[in-house]
Amino acid sequence: MAQSTGSGESDAEFILSLNAGSSSLKFSLYKAAREPDEIAVGQVESLGPNARFKARIGPQQVEDNLGSADHHVALQAILEQCETVLQGKAPACIGHRIAHGGVDYEGPQLLTPQVMEKLALLEPLAPLHQPHNLAAVRASVEAFPDALQIGCFDTAFHRSHPWVNDTFGLPLKYYDRGVRRYGFHGLSYEYITGTLARIDPELASGRVVIAHLGNGASMCGVLNGRSIASTMGFSALDGLPMGTRCGQLDPGVVLYLMDQEGLSAHELTKLLYNESGLKGLSDETNDMRTLEASQRPEAEMAIEYYTFRARRELGALAASLHGIDGVVFCGGIGENSATIRARICNGMDWMGITLDGRANMANEMSIGLGRTKVLVIPTDEERIIARAASRALDQLAATES
Ligand code: ADP
């Protein structure tokens, strides 16, 4: 096996990062190196009867209608389209984003049949993500039987939670049975803490709240680079309201909806995961950009609820950290919406959070004026997967030599 020691080598190996959702298969292709070199990025979107391929491959923008596509067909399309850069070589390692690693996995794992069996048992804990993540792994094993298959888990970063932030106020036996606050978006938090250690080591060693605000959204309290608490809990429903998910909800509401309104578990799942959050409150869309542009009062109400809950959680996480030295915004909304950042930070001067209006509007990296630093850092979950894959290739090369 060739050594993965640097980008641009003609014998460099390829790494494919896959992030499979219910309706899309996102990918990034890299040349293996300690800092992997991205050479293509894109996705197959609208999996189903009218799937589309969209990517940047080398310098080229490529788009194609695929017709009917599941994860298998999508993967084949990615390979065919990337042939211009792969030139007959198959990826040596495929890294998969996997939502749930349960209590056991604190880092990337080789996806053996035994590990896959354990991960399949976790499907009920992340029904929107885990089945699709595992479907992509199976498609990938079939397409690349000789490649290493590595799983990187969104829960892994949070295994450092102290017990008190890992449990619910239920009888202890449920904790032992795995009913815990797992936390998600860990690959994003790992990327941000790593970047922070490089660009601001002093802040990285302090108390930081990271706000990952995308379609899914959560916040994480990080102390010296380690997760102390997260707004997401047992499932990816808790905490902040999201595009279509409700965020924090009194469990009594669920009991009421079952008992009094006769909703089944299936109907509740649909309501809480797909029809709530920004979409439910606005009765229009889960898309923040559209809501910001809308004149409808319901759109404004959805934004008001979103930013209010984010501010509450920011305060709660600062309390969990016994203070705060910095806030980092990331994710599609966190990285791009100056208005949402300003509304979340509004009235937080007591916590040392004061925005520089000009820097915020200009989407600059450092947007705070107060004693608490406020940063905007674009996240890159695929790169975390690629780094893990590169390390796995190096380990394999070391054991083979
Ligand atoms: P996902 O969780 O699916 O990866 P993203 O991180 O891409 O989602 O975030 C998608 C969200 O980011 C959408 O609500 C979208 O409207 C929002 N967004 C992207 N750009 C902007 C912008 N310039 N202003 C406001 N919201 C934006």
Side-chain angles (χ1 to χ4, degrees):
M1 178 173 293
Q3 292 286 335
S4 51
T5 50
S7 61
E9 293 174 26
S10 58
D11 66 343
E13 293 173 300
F14 291 103
I15 287 170
L16 184 63
S17 287
L18 292 179
N19 180 355
S22 57
S23 64
S24 70
L25 181 61
K26 295 182 185 162
F27 76 96
S28 297
L29 184 67
Y30 299 84
K31 281 189 179 158
R34 180 163 299 147
E35 194 49 72
D37 183 13
E38 186 187 271
I39 47 177
V41 58
Q43 62 176 305
V44 176
E45 58 186 31
S46 307
L47 289 177
N50 298 305
R52 282 183 59 73
F53 178 89
K54 273 190 192 167
R56 178 189 57 71
I57 300 173
Q60 306 281 344
Q61 293 294 334
V62 182
E63 291 200 20
D64 195 15
N65 286 321
L66 300 182
S68 179
D70 58 9
H71 288 108
H72 286 265
V73 176
L75 194 54
Q76 283 310 325
I78 291 169
L79 280 183
E80 280 164 26
Q81 297 282 0
C82 288
E83 186 49 32
T84 44
V85 285
L86 285 169
Q87 299 193 331
K89 267 185 117 177
C93 184
I94 323 296
H96 299 267
R97 180 177 181 184
I98 296 184
H100 221 302
V103 293
D104 290 337
Y105 299 134
E106 296 181 6
Q109 291 291 317
L110 197 60
L111 295 171
T112 61
Q114 292 77 8
V115 172
M116 285 294 286
E117 260 175 46
K118 276 176 112 170
L119 295 176
L121 295 177
L122 300 169
E123 285 188 2
L125 303 189
L128 281 198
H129 300 98
Q130 194 87 343
H132 306 294
N133 301 156
L134 300 188
V137 177
R138 290 185 199 104
S140 168
V141 170
E142 218 176 285
F144 312 108
D146 298 329
L148 282 184
Q149 308 279 343
I150 300 287
C152 297
F153 307 103
D154 270 311
T155 50
F157 185 73
H158 303 290
R159 298 285 47 79
S160 49
H161 283 184
W163 175 81
V164 76
N165 282 333
D166 205 31
T167 193
F168 295 100
L170 291 170
L172 197 54
K173 65 182 177 188
Y174 291 107
Y175 181 84
D176 296 334
R177 290 183 201 167
V179 182
R180 304 181 185 192
R181 294 183 199 271
Y182 291 99
F184 295 88
H185 290 135
L187 302 179
S188 175
Y189 295 131
E190 189 179 335
Y191 180 82
I192 297 294
T193 51
T195 304
L196 213 49
R198 196 165 39 77
I199 63 176
D200 191 341
E202 193 188 334
L203 180 57
S205 66
R207 303 159 297 182
V208 179
V209 174
I210 306 172
H212 177 106
L213 308 179
N215 249 325
S218 70
M219 284 184 178
C220 179
V222 174
L223 179 64
N224 195 15
R226 285 165 68 80
S227 173
I228 294 299
S230 160
T231 59
M232 269 188 178
F234 176 71
S235 70
L237 281 176
D238 204 2
L240 306 176
M242 299 168 229
T244 61
R245 288 173 251 166
C246 57
Q248 188 275 328
L249 190 72
D250 176 349
V253 172
V254 176
L255 298 176
Y256 172 85
L257 292 175
M258 286 170 74
D259 282 348
Q260 302 299 318
E261 303 239 345
L263 265 64
S264 66
H266 179 72
E267 287 166 328
L268 275 167
T269 302
K270 200 159 163 260
L271 174 73
L272 303 181
Y273 277 99
N274 301 117
E275 296 166 355
S276 297
L278 293 174
K279 186 174 179 205
L281 281 165
S282 68
D283 197 22
E284 186 183 357
T285 176
N286 61 324
D287 190 274
M288 184 60 93
R289 225 174 330 190
T290 309
L291 290 175
E292 284 191 45
S294 170
Q295 300 300 315
R296 295 172 63 245
E298 293 85 352
E300 167 54 24
M301 286 158 72
I303 293 176
E304 190 179 357
Y305 182 72
Y306 184 90
T307 51
F308 167 69
R309 297 300 309 192
R311 204 159 48 240
R312 256 182 77 124
E313 296 291 349
L314 179 53
L317 287 170
S320 303
L321 291 167
H322 298 189
I324 188 163
D325 303 305
V327 180
V328 180
F329 286 100
C330 64
I333 298 171
E335 289 163 27
N336 296 299
S337 177
T339 313
I340 298 300
R341 291 193 299 260
R343 289 182 67 161
I344 292 172
C345 294
N346 186 28
M348 299 295 269
D349 310 72
W350 60 274
M351 235 167 68
I353 297 174
T354 305
L355 286 198
D356 174 341
R358 187 207 54 78
N360 183 40
M361 287 308 291
N363 273 328
E364 288 180 7
M365 189 181 75
S366 176
I367 61 171
L369 287 174
R371 71 168 188 280
T372 301
K373 291 184 180 175
V374 186
L375 302 177
V376 179
I377 301 180
T379 197
D380 191 348
E381 292 149 313
E382 279 71 27
R383 181 162 290 280
I384 289 296
I385 299 171
R387 285 179 189 158
S390 220
R391 286 195 303 275
L393 284 175
D394 281 346
Q395 280 164 11
L396 184 67
T399 54
E400 284 182 350
S401 64

